[in-house]
């Protein structure tokens, strides 16, 4: 089991550029999440998904879009990157309550927007 | 709105010492509580998960307790080692009737264990 993996690990963008972050999990988890982590702000939820084909907004969704076309993948898109989106992005997944509810995180993507 | 507080924000101890990290939350209607470890520049590693019906969970030198009524959890680390140096995060999952319950995180306690 690779667990939760994220691609890429690092990226530098110029303001206005677009990119997609890929998250993959091989644990057959129903729920998947995207967070950002910033100094002094803790972990904040951007978007999440409760199953294949579903997405929902979290606390800080503006400027981001997501898609979950396959159960194992959750994509986070930035259509027009801004310096305020410089952050470390974490993907996470968890099973349903019947399977324990423990949440697992990926290694993170460090994004810098110049 | 659920708020999670971790005290202290930073802690430095000599190797071998037993220590306690504290986590408090404002809304006691939680589903479970999870403790994570985060090493610098890395992701979060799950340490212990306590369901709301449980009082404690143990894994090796780690013991986590939960007191829902007082809105508190503690993470006890026995015989600390330099390899325990990391940031420890507490997160609570709120009870919801629909799917998609979320974790609310504390800002963490940065632990340094000195050789």
């Amino acid at each position: 089991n690779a667990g939760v993996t994220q691609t890429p690990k690092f990226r530098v963008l110029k303001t206005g550029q677009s990119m997609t972050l890929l998250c993959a999990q091989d644990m057959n988890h129903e729920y998947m999440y995207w967070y950002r982590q910033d100094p002094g702000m803790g972990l904040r939820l951007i978007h999440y998904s409760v199953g294949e084909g579903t997405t929902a907004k979290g606390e800080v969704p503006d400027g981001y879009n997501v898609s979950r076309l396959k159960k194992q993948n959750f994509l986070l898109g930035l259509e027009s990157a801004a310096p305020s989106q410089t952050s470390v992005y974490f993907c996470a997944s968890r099973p349903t309550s019947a399977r324990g509810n423990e949440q697992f995180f990926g290694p993170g993507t460090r994004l810098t927007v110049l | 709105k659920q708020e999670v507080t971790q005290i202290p924000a930073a802690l430095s101890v000599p190797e071998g010492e037993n220590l306690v990290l504290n986590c408090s939350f404002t809304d006691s209607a939680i589903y479970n509580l999870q403790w994570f470890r985060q090493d610098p520049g890395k992701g979060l590693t799950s340490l212990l998960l306590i369901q709301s019906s449980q009082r404690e969970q143990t894994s090796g030198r780690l013991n986590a307790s939960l007191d829902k009524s007082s809105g508190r959890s503690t993470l006890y680390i026995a015989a600390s080692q330099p390899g325990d140096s990391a940031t420890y995060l507490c997160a609570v999952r709120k009870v919801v009737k629909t799917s998609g319950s979320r974790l609310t995180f504390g800002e963490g306690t940065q632990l340094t264990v000195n050789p």
Side-chain angles (χ1 to χ4, degrees), chain A residues 13-111:
Chain A
L13 290 178
K14 295 181 180 178
T15 297
Q17 287 185 317
S18 64
M19 77 163 295
T20 300
L21 281 67
L22 171 64
C23 175
Q25 52 93 7
D26 61 0
M27 298 173 282
N28 199 32
H29 286 172
E30 286 72 18
Y31 300 105
M32 296 188 75
Y33 304 84
W34 276 107
Y35 295 86
R36 60 178 290 174
Q37 187 177 38
D38 303 287
M41 306 287 286
L43 275 151
R44 292 181 291 170
L45 181 64
I46 304 171
H47 285 281
Y48 64 100
S49 168
V50 302
E52 181 178 318
T54 75
T55 63
K57 294 180 180 180
E59 300 172 63
V60 288
D62 295 341
Y64 305 95
N65 56 74
V66 287
S67 64
R68 189 152 178 218
L69 299 179
K70 295 182 179 180
K71 186 177 184 179
Q72 63 268 34
N73 295 337
F74 195 30
L75 279 62
L76 178 71
L78 285 73
E79 290 187 348
S80 179
S84 61
Q85 294 177 305
T86 293
S87 186
V88 182
Y89 292 85
F90 290 102
C91 177
S93 71
R94 71 170 177 92
T96 59
S97 303
R99 290 173 55 202
N101 238 335
E102 188 175 6
Q103 190 155 317
F104 296 90
F105 281 77
T109 295
R110 293 184 174 277
L111 175 66

